[in-house]
Amino acid sequence: MRINQTNELRIIPTPLLCLLTFIFILSGVIGQDIGSTDVRFLSDEQISQYWQRAQSEGYSLNQVKSAAIARGMDPAQADLLVERIRELDEDAEGGGGLTQSNLRGLQQAEGMDLFLNGSEEDLELTPFERKLFGYKLFHNDNVDFSPNYNMPTPGDYVLGPGDEVIIQIYGTSQESYQLTIDPEGRLLIPLLGPVQMSGLSMNAARIRLKERLSKIYSGLVRDRPSVFMDVSLGSIRTIRVNVWGEVQRPGTYALPSFATPFMALYSCGGPTTIGTFREIEIYRDGQLAETIDIYQFLRSGQLGALARLQDNDIILVRPFGNHVEVLGSVKRAGIFELKPEETLVDLMDYAGGFRPGAIRESVSLERLNGGSQSIQDVALDAKLRLIDGDKVIVRKGADPLIEKVQIEGAVANPGAYGWSQGLSISDLVAKAGGLSPEAYLQDATLFRKKSDLSTQTISIKLSEVLENGTPFSLEIGDLVVVSSRYELSETPFIEVSGEVINPGVMPFFEGMTISDAILLSSGLRNSGVGGRVELVRRPESAQDDFEVEKFDIPSELFPFEQQDLKYALKPYDNVFVRQAPGFRNPSFVAVEGEVIAPGKYILNNRQTRISDLLPRSGGITDQAYVEGAHLLRPEQDLPARERARLYLQNVERLNLFLTQQLAGGTLSEVERAALDARLNGIRERYREILLNSGEFESDSVLNSAMDSIFIDRPREYAKISFSLRDILEGSNDPENDLILRDGDRIVIPLEPQTVKISGEVLQEEAFARYQKNLRFDNYIGAAGGYTPVAKRNKAYVIYPNGDAKRSRSFILFKTRPPILPGSEIVVPGGRVRETFNIDRIFGLVTTAATTYLLILTVQDRTSQ
């Protein structure tokens, strides 16, 4: 299995291998022909055993279902199998239902942890590759074995054809040579001739060049030299190295002459899972030059004696010798390759040694003996040889009983303290620095482990134990909790609301006044200056009424010294700071589109209408599309019936999603029925609001109209239609010339040139050029015509200003709405059931959360 981490998690199994493996698992567990299996008669143990084995192979619930059907299982039986598995998971996890791990197909805790915390390189490796010690070295993008070209040329570097040699002469003579060794291995020095260089080390080359150049520069070899020489390496040559055997990409590689064997191995992808990491052979001129042990590099960082490769070297990786796995309480669990002479002690060294608490005296050794398997406990013996396939398990000892006791709560220094025979509660309290002043002395709670490891509580009269010296000895692991008097009672508070900068709940303090409460709320808003304070106080008994007192706020920003506001508060008082009479925040309306002066305008009064504002914006331009003018109003400012219409659209959108996206998915029948019941309840409440609004004559008319509700994305603004033409012509219709509210946006667009056709037409979301002589059916034809599930008689038109008109029919006669520029023709459809695939599973958690959030939001808004 391979997991790619992109925008979403996708599981890409090797289809044939995974299917064959699954068939083997399912057939092996159920023990009969899968096509005739009746899942109802399988025990929970059989289901659990099968699911555990399927999980270990990385199967998700959806893959289990698909593979079972492919093997011949009846789809209904496959659904029942998935349901049985899900029920067992819920029981095991405390009713958690669908979990993130089984939705993503990473059922194992190790796999989920790897997905959440592992690197991308880890995700690309199989579980076996991740456990194989050393394998990740050659599959890590952060590792680079490229040579360092900035270092001085090593003295033992062997020159060869293609190397560039730089010779600097300085002193009484000045000269510079930059020469390349030719294919014959020579440097051709001007005025001197060829000098053989190939096969010489840098140190030997310096001696030979000095000797030959002394014939030109005699000052090089005098007792007191007057000429000096420096030799360095410029561009290096490329060598060809052959890598064969059990490697990822065998072949011939062109490498720089500084390359090490590790660079060659990294270039070919390293050994495969069956290649050796311990005895990699390097052949030179037909002879074995060196054997490399990768473990030596991983443990000590040593590259081996053969520091650099040479041209035509051969690297041979043979199959591994012995693979031994170490599990349990070790620092580095995994699969290690051992040489024949290495022992259990060497294996534990590779594993990094024991973890704290591990049993060190012996380990469990599982060994395959032909067709059988043996398990034995063996001592950590340096002479014990391990063979291929052995598995060593290091057990963790029982958690030691720590000789401690703990005290928490109202003491000076809570925490854990050492236990000793005869330690009493009085002694423990003294160790903790004594009780805090707020400690509740009547009762303390002692938590103690019983012999069966269950916990019992013991109530202690703390005052008697401390004051009278009542003996009470503690046992190892006891926990004493001393409560605070403040924790056992409601903390007194007051609440400040209204025209203050930071309203809210704050603690009550003795002697607190109204002035203090306003001060702690960061003072008054400008709207509260000159206003009034109302103080509401709880009654003393259930028969009494709430007390209400009023205090005037002076017309100043800092009224804290006002004597009336020095009124003393009591716990749980509510302080309301009322707005000053006549104070109003400015209200703004935006005029957008084709007007002379678009922008924001302040409302003069609360009765400002559209006709009052248009002259202030300079009037409309010549390009204005009068029929498309509309008003956008924030949803929270809409009347109840308009909000009900919008919220009902959200409910219908949610139902459409559940119908189309989750059809045949992982929601059980019970879950879907519960959601349907909730949706229907919400739908009926909003239908009742709409029916009571008087907009519809009867419930049947409402139901017909609801079929034409335009389902669109959630909007912050509601589109309200009005006739701009009537307003411009002087009509005084108050129902058309709307009173404006803060946040309204009047939009007057350009004349559009298109008509949109959406819904159940063959060309989804089609646009057609508006033509005056075309009718409703012509535009439907331009979109390819109706789909088979289209409800033709219920098609409707949404006009640019937001009005909508639906088609009507009487016997054999149909009346279609007229089409204007910018209109949208919507064709509703029937119920569509889509297939549910693995991609949808990955979004199920988010989808479910969004679904419930939307339901709760709709309900919350309804209750307001």
Side-chain angles (χ1 to χ4, degrees):
M1 180 177 294
R2 183 168 181 157
I3 302 174
N4 288 344
Q5 195 173 22
T6 56
N7 292 335
E8 62 178 338
L9 182 65
R10 294 180 180 271
I11 301 179
I12 311 175
T14 305
L16 181 58
L17 177 61
C18 289
L19 181 60
L20 292 176
T21 306
F22 168 75
I23 293 172
F24 169 76
I25 293 172
L26 191 62
S27 302
V29 173
I30 297 177
Q32 56 183 327
D33 178 54
I34 189 173
S36 60
T37 300
D38 191 336
V39 178
R40 295 175 300 173
F41 300 109
L42 297 178
S43 66
D44 287 347
E45 183 178 356
Q46 286 177 302
I47 296 291
S48 178
Q49 181 185 5
Y50 155 63
W51 178 225
Q52 289 174 3
R53 294 185 62 179
Q55 283 179 312
S56 67
E57 295 296 326
Y59 281 92
S60 67
L61 275 177
N62 196 69
Q63 290 172 315
V64 166
K65 175 181 175 181
S66 300
I69 294 174
R71 181 69 175 89
M73 178 177 280
D74 183 83
Q77 288 290 320
D79 286 337
L80 182 58
L81 176 63
V82 171
E83 192 65 28
R84 290 281 304 275
I85 293 172
R86 186 180 290 112
E87 290 173 358
L88 289 176
D89 266 3
E90 291 174 352
D91 293 339
E93 298 175 14
L98 292 174
T99 64
Q100 186 181 27
S101 60
N102 63 41
L103 285 175
R104 293 186 182 274
L106 292 170
Q107 287 76 21
Q108 295 171 298
E110 174 189 0
M112 176 54 69
D113 181 68
L114 179 68
F115 172 70
L116 295 176
N117 305 311
S119 64
E120 293 188 8
E121 290 83 2
D122 289 340
L123 288 171
E124 293 177 355
L125 302 179
T126 66
F128 180 82
E129 291 170 345
R130 289 194 295 270
K131 291 191 293 183
L132 187 58
F133 183 66
Y135 191 85
K136 288 174 59 177
L137 176 66
F138 302 102
H139 299 79
N140 189 342
D141 292 338
N142 297 321
V143 176
D144 186 6
F145 290 101
S146 299
N148 182 7
Y149 299 109
N150 294 323
M151 62 181 289
T153 305
D156 60 349
Y157 176 78
V158 179
L159 295 170
D163 282 338
E164 183 182 57
V165 179
I166 299 174
I167 307 170
Q168 297 286 345
I169 303 295
Y170 58 95
T172 57
S173 298
Q174 302 286 332
E175 189 59 76
S176 176
Y177 301 94
Q178 189 169 344
L179 307 170
T180 302
I181 301 176
D182 65 18
E184 302 298 328
R186 302 171 301 177
L187 278 181
L188 186 60
I189 302 176
L191 304 179
L192 187 63
V195 179
Q196 189 68 32
M197 289 282 108
S198 182
L200 295 180
S201 66
M202 280 297 294
N203 289 335
R206 288 188 179 98
I207 295 173
R208 177 171 293 185
L209 287 172
K210 185 176 182 180
E211 176 187 353
R212 298 296 299 273
L213 287 170
S214 63
K215 296 179 180 180
I216 302 175
Y217 307 102
S218 58
L220 282 172
V221 293
R222 292 176 182 172
D223 294 338
R224 298 181 66 180
S226 59
V227 180
F228 303 91
M229 180 191 72
D230 181 69
V231 180
S232 61
L233 197 62
S235 300
I236 61 174
R237 70 185 186 277
T238 298
I239 62 174
R240 298 174 67 83
V241 177
N242 299 286
V243 187
W244 305 110
E246 300 300 333
V247 293
Q248 301 289 346
R249 296 181 296 276
T252 302
Y253 290 85
L255 303 173
S257 56
F258 273 10
T260 65
F262 280 89
M263 185 178 180
L265 289 172
Y266 186 76
S267 299
C268 73
T272 65
T273 55
I274 63 172
T276 179
F277 282 71
R278 306 300 309 277
E279 295 182 344
I280 298 175
E281 299 170 343
I282 301 178
Y283 289 88
R284 182 171 296 163
D285 299 328
Q287 300 295 323
L288 179 63
E290 186 181 5
T291 300
I292 294 177
D293 186 351
I294 294 177
Y295 281 21
Q296 183 181 8
F297 170 74
L298 293 174
R299 295 177 63 196
S300 61
Q302 298 179 9
L303 293 174
L306 196 60
R308 281 174 297 279
L309 296 171
Q310 292 187 15
D311 200 24
N312 295 320
D313 279 355
I314 296 175
I315 299 177
L316 181 61
V317 179
R318 301 182 186 275
F320 69 86
N322 297 324
H323 271 175
V324 179
E325 185 173 5
V326 181
L327 302 172
S329 190
V330 292
K331 296 177 181 177
R332 187 191 298 121
I335 299 173
F336 299 88
E337 181 183 352
L338 298 184
K339 294 182 178 180
E341 67 274 11
E342 290 181 326
T343 66
L344 179 59
V345 174
D346 298 310
L347 176 65
M348 297 308 300
D349 185 32
Y350 294 139
F354 296 97
R355 287 185 178 274
I359 300 176
R360 300 169 181 251
E361 290 75 19
S362 65
V363 297
S364 295
L365 174 62
E366 295 184 7
R367 175 168 292 176
L368 296 173
N369 298 312
S372 63
Q373 182 180 19
S374 64
I375 302 178
Q376 56 181 322
D377 293 333
V378 297
L380 196 62
D381 189 351
K383 297 181 180 179
L384 179 62
R385 297 283 194 274
L386 300 172
I387 63 175
D388 188 33
D390 280 353
K391 183 180 294 185
V392 175
I393 303 172
V394 179
R395 309 290 181 185
K396 183 179 179 182
D399 290 334
L401 191 60
I402 303 175
E403 295 187 351
K404 71 172 184 179
V405 291
Q406 298 181 77
I407 185 168
E408 301 292 343
V411 293
N413 298 300
Y417 293 89
W419 176 87
S420 59
Q421 189 67 40
L423 181 71
S424 66
I425 290 182
S426 301
D427 299 330
L428 180 58
V429 170
K431 285 186 174 186
L435 298 174
S436 299
E438 73 275 12
Y440 181 67
L441 300 178
Q442 299 305 312
D443 283 288
T445 305
L446 172 67
F447 294 89
R448 175 171 290 173
K449 288 287 186 182
K450 299 167 61 176
S451 58
D452 60 357
L453 298 182
S454 62
T455 302
Q456 64 174 336
T457 60
I458 303 173
S459 182
I460 300 170
K461 296 294 182 183
L462 195 57
S463 57
E464 295 181 7
V465 171
L466 298 180
E467 296 173 7
N468 303 331
T470 303
F472 196 104
S473 298
L474 296 172
E475 297 181 2
I476 295 175
D478 281 353
L479 168 62
V480 179
V481 178
V482 181
S483 299
S484 166
R485 288 185 290 112
Y486 299 126
E487 295 174 350
L488 300 176
S489 61
E490 184 181 11
T491 302
F493 64 89
I494 64 167
E495 184 173 0
V496 182
S497 56
E499 302 305 311
V500 291
I501 294 176
N502 290 310
V505 176
M506 63 185 67
F508 170 80
F509 301 100
E510 195 69 34
M512 198 173 188
T513 66
I514 293 176
S515 178
D516 298 328
I518 295 176
L519 190 62
L520 292 173
S521 300
S522 302
L524 294 172
R525 296 181 183 273
N526 290 332
S527 55
V529 176
R532 174 177 291 179
V533 173
E534 284 190 4
L535 175 64
V536 180
R537 178 162 291 167
R538 287 185 182 182
E540 297 291 336
S541 65
Q543 290 75 28
D544 297 333
D545 295 330
F546 281 87
E547 299 179 20
V548 180
E549 298 194 43
K550 301 178 181 180
F551 305 88
D552 290 330
I553 300 175
S555 297
E556 57 185 58
L557 192 58
F558 306 105
F560 309 115
E561 298 303 322
Q562 181 72 17
Q563 193 60 37
D564 288 350
L565 300 183
K566 295 295 183 181
Y567 189 85
L569 298 174
K570 291 185 178 181
Y572 316 113
D573 279 352
N574 282 268
V575 179
F576 296 92
V577 180
R578 303 301 184 189
Q579 191 177 87
F583 183 88
R584 284 178 58 195
N585 284 315
S587 298
F588 294 92
V589 172
V591 182
E592 304 172 5
E594 294 304 309
V595 292
I596 302 298
K600 281 189 175 182
Y601 291 85
I602 193 169
L603 295 179
N604 296 358
N605 55 64
R606 297 182 180 180
Q607 297 300 316
T608 302
R609 296 181 180 270
I610 298 175
S611 60
D612 300 324
L613 195 63
L614 284 178
R616 293 170 59 188
S617 66
I620 64 175
T621 67
D622 296 338
Q623 289 78 32
Y625 183 50
V626 176
E627 281 72 18
H630 57 274
L631 178 72
L632 297 178
R633 175 162 291 174
E635 288 189 11
Q636 62 268 23
D637 294 333
L638 294 177
R641 67 183 182 85
E642 293 295 336
R643 290 203 307 270
R645 182 192 298 274
L646 293 173
Y647 297 154
L648 188 54
Q649 288 178 7
N650 286 338
V651 174
E652 297 300 333
R653 184 184 302 108
L654 177 59
N655 183 62
L656 182 66
F657 171 81
L658 291 174
T659 301
Q660 293 184 343
Q661 303 299 323
L662 297 182
T666 58
L667 284 182
S668 67
E669 291 298 324
V670 175
E671 291 170 328
R672 180 55 203 262
L675 280 176
D676 283 341
R678 298 184 69 178
L679 290 173
N680 289 333
I682 297 170
R683 186 184 291 108
E684 289 306 315
R685 289 166 62 186
Y686 288 132
R687 287 177 183 272
E688 184 177 352
I689 293 174
L690 289 173
L691 189 61
N692 293 337
S693 70
E695 182 177 352
F696 302 99
E697 300 174 2
S698 65
D699 190 61
S700 60
V701 175
L702 171 62
N703 289 336
S704 177
M706 292 317 300
D707 288 336
S708 299
I709 282 185
F710 178 59
I711 304 299
D712 199 356
R713 62 180 180 83
R715 294 169 291 179
E716 296 179 0
Y717 287 86
K719 193 174 186 180
I720 302 175
S721 63
F722 67 91
S723 174
L724 179 59
R725 186 174 298 282
D726 289 348
I727 293 175
L728 294 176
E729 292 175 355
S731 172
N732 294 322
D733 183 2
E735 293 185 358
N736 179 58
D737 193 4
L738 301 172
I739 296 176
L740 298 173
R741 296 288 179 258
D742 186 34
D744 283 353
R745 294 163 54 195
I746 299 174
V747 181
I748 304 176
L750 285 167
E751 180 172 344
Q753 303 296 313
T754 60
V755 173
K756 182 180 178 181
I757 309 98
S758 61
E760 294 301 330
V761 289
L762 294 179
Q763 184 180 351
E764 188 177 358
E765 296 288 326
F767 286 86
R769 181 169 58 87
Y770 173 76
Q771 299 180 56
K772 193 173 183 179
N773 58 336
L774 294 185
R775 299 180 180 276
F776 186 99
D777 292 332
N778 300 126
Y779 289 107
I780 294 294
Y786 298 101
T787 67
V789 296
K791 294 184 177 181
R792 306 186 183 193
N793 294 335
K794 295 182 185 263
Y796 57 96
V797 176
I798 301 175
Y799 292 105
N801 68 346
D803 282 340
K805 288 187 179 180
R806 61 187 297 264
S807 302
R808 298 187 178 278
S809 60
F810 180 74
I811 308 178
L812 298 178
F813 300 97
K814 295 180 182 178
T815 303
R816 299 294 195 186
I819 307 299
L820 297 177
S823 299
E824 179 177 2
I825 300 173
V826 181
V827 181
R831 188 180 181 112
V832 179
R833 298 185 62 86
E834 298 181 0
T835 57
F836 192 74
N837 55 37
I838 187 66
D839 292 336
R840 296 262 168 82
I841 296 181
F842 300 139
L844 184 59
V845 172
T846 302
T847 299
T850 305
T851 298
Y852 284 104
L853 180 60
L854 179 56
I855 292 175
L856 294 177
T857 302
V858 171
Q859 289 182 326
D860 180 61
R861 291 186 177 181
T862 307
S863 63
Q864 293 180 355

